[in-house]
Amino acid sequence: MKRFKDKRFYLVLILFFGFIISSFTQQTAETIPDTLIPDPTAARLNKTEFLKDTEFIYYAFSFSGLDKENRELYVEKYETLAENLSLYFKENNINLADPYKKGEAILLFLHDNLLKKYVEMETRLDELFNKGVFNCVSSGIMYYALAMNNDLDVRAMRTKDHAFCAVIIDGKIIDVETTNRYGFDPGDKKEFVNSFGNTGFVYTPPSNYKDRHEISFKELLALVLQNRIAELQHKGNFIDTVSISVDRNAALGTKDSFIDMINEFKNYSVQVSNKGDYKNAIIFLSFAASVYDYDHLLTDTASKLFYNQIVRYLDKNQTDLAMNFYLYFETNPIIISSMRQDVLPLIKQKELYIFIQNIDFEESRAKIFEYYDQNFIKSTDKTNYLVFAYSREITRLSNNSDWVGAIEAVQQAIEETEKDSRMIKLEENVKYNIGVMYHNKFANFYNKGDKDSAAAVLEEGLKIVPNSKILLDDQKKLK
């Protein structure tokens, strides 16, 4: 039997920040995946209060994954087994008026005729009939059905990671560890103790009530579904767990089964997104939310996947794809409104960054103020983008020796950035560089003795940077 948690399955949510290309189609009621709709058999079990043994075993075969035709075929095999049990009673002179003897005989019969090999992770009842492989759930279900067929007061029991049966005889609980031939009322039986350890479980006697509890026949049957889910999880297959968890929740209708189902929805969506298909991952969660009531259970995961996709697009400078992705989910309630409000500025800021890099300064500057007025960027962002745009423009002007333009641009930048320290520092650097450039020209003429040309160079430079210390020093030298 696949080990299972007492209340929840393992939840694997590996949410990473990244991006991939996606496009979406509108969801409609007609396109809701079949995997979100429970099998009618599972839904019917939830409303059932009493079952005959053949009905009980029918559910077991259904939950093992068999279609309707094969379920009925295997029920016939079970009925043949039950008839053979009756012959077994007669051949072995079992006193049917003694429930203790009858209960023990059922277990021996199963191990002699059906239960051949213990395999912890094999829960399916068809595999039990086909190959004789069993675990505590499948063997427990078989014992439970035959005990019902023979009018025993049978109960299903479970511990943290184990299931077994018990029969009530004269008010006393008689345990039936179905995985073991000697498991009827095991106690301190030497044969039982020596062989039961091979199953990997520890016998929990009736006195240890805190470590064991009775479960309903519905919960016993649902363990088939739970173990199939656990086996798929173990293999890293979270795609096929969806329909099984839906059936399990339909059969049990408990808070825990609902949460487990929601977790499988998340697991599935994350696995799909990890393959790069954020599109269908979020669409699936949106479908699931439209079928099942939800609050934050699905929206949190969908919103994180939504964010991941947007960020991945932006990381690749694919702002058009990011915006299209955003617009598709703009009104979809599966995405938390605060998340939509957070990602839109990210898209706009990346758009603006790319725009500034590729478009001339005046258009870039106008775009910065436009985005600020539309509340796409905050005041601090506006300042940062202005610093970025002006720095690029001033560098361009300086490289073209347009010193007057560079000075005018940096002074305008200081005004529009409200005297940002970076712009003030840039102004100092620009003026210093201009001073150095004119000083070098001055020195070249001065060293040649051409004082008229040296004076003309100083005059031109001081008109641009009248407070340049290096040029003022040159002026004193010239005089």
Side-chain angles (χ1 to χ4, degrees):
M1 170 189 173
K2 171 65 182 174
R3 302 297 179 91
F4 49 80
K5 290 292 185 181
D6 190 29
K7 290 188 177 181
R8 299 178 185 272
F9 301 122
Y10 297 109
L11 175 62
V12 181
L13 288 178
I14 311 172
L15 294 173
F16 58 90
F17 291 99
F19 317 58
I20 211 90
I21 299 176
S22 297
S23 60
F24 289 78
T25 57
Q26 286 290 346
Q27 89 174 43
T28 64
E30 290 73 24
T31 57
I32 291 175
D34 291 339
T35 53
L36 292 172
I37 308 301
D39 186 306
T41 302
R44 188 163 58 248
L45 178 63
N46 181 260
K47 300 178 180 179
T48 303
E49 298 301 327
F50 174 80
L51 290 175
K52 294 186 297 184
D53 63 307
T54 51
E55 295 170 328
F56 174 82
I57 209 68
Y58 178 88
Y59 279 105
F61 289 126
S62 173
F63 291 169
S64 296
L66 298 179
D67 58 27
K68 184 177 180 180
E69 182 179 351
N70 280 307
R71 295 171 200 170
E72 295 172 353
L73 176 64
Y74 276 89
V75 169
E76 291 177 5
K77 292 184 179 183
Y78 163 77
E79 291 174 331
T80 300
L81 184 73
E83 292 172 1
N84 291 337
L85 175 61
S86 297
L87 294 175
Y88 178 86
F89 287 153
K90 292 178 182 180
E91 293 170 354
N92 291 276
N93 298 316
I94 303 300
N95 181 7
L96 299 182
D98 185 343
Y100 190 96
K101 293 294 184 182
K102 185 162 56 173
E104 184 176 32
I106 292 173
L107 183 61
L108 293 173
F109 169 80
L110 281 173
H111 279 272
D112 287 342
N113 294 275
L114 187 64
L115 307 179
K116 300 301 181 182
K117 181 181 180 180
Y118 174 80
V119 178
E120 181 184 2
M121 298 180 71
E122 187 51 78
T123 301
R124 292 170 295 175
L125 273 292
D126 55 318
E127 288 298 294
L128 171 56
F129 274 83
N130 292 339
K131 302 177 182 178
V133 294
F134 66 93
N135 65 6
C136 62
V137 172
S138 58
S139 61
I141 285 175
M142 287 307 306
Y143 186 91
Y144 195 99
L146 291 175
M148 280 199 299
N149 179 267
N150 287 277
D151 301 320
L152 289 176
D153 184 1
V154 63
R155 311 290 175 87
M157 312 296 292
R158 102 172 252 198
T159 63
K160 182 180 180 180
D161 57 2
H162 182 44
F164 55 99
C165 292
V167 291
I168 309 301
I169 301 176
D170 297 329
K172 181 181 178 182
I173 300 174
I174 306 297
D175 282 349
V176 187
E177 287 283 1
T178 57
T179 58
N180 189 285
R181 176 181 176 81
Y182 308 101
F184 187 86
D185 195 11
D188 296 325
K189 289 181 183 177
K190 182 176 183 297
E191 301 90 344
F192 168 76
V193 173
N194 288 344
S195 58
F196 185 62
N198 294 331
T199 65
F201 303 115
V202 177
Y203 174 56
T204 305
S207 57
N208 291 22
Y209 288 110
K210 66 179 181 178
D211 296 324
R212 51 183 276 163
H213 64 278
E214 182 178 340
I215 59 176
S216 68
F217 69 84
K218 298 177 186 179
E219 292 173 297
L220 176 59
L221 289 168
L223 287 180
V224 176
L225 298 172
Q226 183 169 333
N227 282 11
R228 287 176 62 200
I229 292 172
E231 182 180 0
L232 290 169
Q233 290 176 332
H234 179 74
K235 295 177 179 178
N237 180 358
F238 298 98
I239 292 178
D240 294 331
T241 63
V242 171
S243 60
I244 302 176
S245 66
V246 167
D247 287 348
R248 180 175 178 269
N249 180 62
L252 296 178
T254 64
K255 180 180 178 181
D256 284 343
S257 68
F258 181 81
I259 294 299
D260 289 337
M261 177 184 67
I262 294 297
N263 286 343
E264 292 312 311
F265 294 167
K266 295 178 181 180
N267 289 341
Y268 170 79
S269 67
V270 170
Q271 188 166 66
V272 171
S273 70
N274 286 347
K275 293 179 180 181
D277 193 354
Y278 286 84
K279 160 192 169 181
N280 285 317
I282 301 176
I283 285 178
F284 169 78
L285 291 177
S286 186
F287 282 140
S290 70
V291 177
Y292 298 95
D293 292 333
Y294 71 94
D295 181 11
H296 62 281
L297 299 176
L298 295 176
T299 56
D300 283 352
T301 300
S303 298
K304 289 174 182 177
L305 295 178
F306 171 74
Y307 180 88
N308 292 349
Q309 177 67 94
I310 294 292
V311 174
R312 179 168 293 223
Y313 281 137
L314 298 183
D315 194 44
K316 296 179 180 180
N317 292 335
Q318 296 171 325
T319 53
D320 289 345
L321 293 175
M323 181 55 71
N324 290 338
F325 191 88
Y326 168 84
L327 292 175
Y328 181 87
F329 283 109
E330 187 176 15
T331 59
N332 193 319
I334 195 66
I335 307 300
I336 300 172
S337 59
S338 60
M339 181 65 75
R340 292 195 297 270
Q341 294 168 4
D342 288 343
V343 300
L344 182 56
L346 294 180
I347 298 172
K348 291 299 182 179
Q349 289 174 25
K350 176 62 79 167
E351 285 180 349
L352 188 56
Y353 178 79
I354 296 173
F355 191 89
I356 293 172
Q357 285 186 313
N358 295 281
I359 306 299
D360 67 65
F361 169 71
E362 288 300 334
E363 287 188 64
S364 297
R365 175 178 168 278
K367 184 69 72 172
I368 294 170
F369 284 101
E370 176 188 335
Y371 275 30
Y372 175 70
D373 292 338
Q374 294 176 351
N375 294 320
F376 290 145
I377 59 174
K378 299 178 181 179
S379 178
T380 53
D381 296 323
K382 181 190 72 171
T383 297
N384 289 333
Y385 281 112
L386 285 172
V387 169
F388 177 53
Y390 269 108
S391 296
R392 287 172 56 84
E393 175 65 4
I394 292 165
T395 299
R396 184 189 69 81
L397 293 170
S398 298
N399 290 339
N400 292 332
S401 299
D402 186 355
W403 306 114
V404 174
I407 290 296
E408 289 177 350
V410 77
Q411 290 174 344
Q412 181 176 314
I414 291 173
E415 179 181 350
E416 291 186 350
T417 61
E418 298 180 355
K419 298 182 179 180
D420 183 86
S421 60
R422 290 166 292 181
M423 288 293 93
I424 292 175
K425 182 66 176 178
L426 182 58
E427 181 188 33
E428 293 174 357
N429 291 338
V430 169
K431 288 182 176 180
Y432 176 80
N433 290 337
I434 293 173
V436 169
M437 188 274 296
Y438 275 99
H439 164 76
N440 291 338
K441 286 184 177 182
F442 164 81
N444 183 48
F445 288 121
Y446 185 83
N447 291 335
K448 292 179 180 179
D450 187 351
K451 294 187 178 181
D452 290 337
S453 296
V457 166
L458 281 180
E459 182 179 2
E460 181 181 339
L462 287 170
K463 284 181 179 179
I464 301 172
V465 282
N467 297 321
S468 172
K469 183 177 185 301
I470 191 171
L471 295 184
L472 291 174
D473 288 344
D474 288 340
Q475 189 180 56
K476 291 178 181 178
K477 182 183 295 185
L478 183 62
K479 291 180 178 179

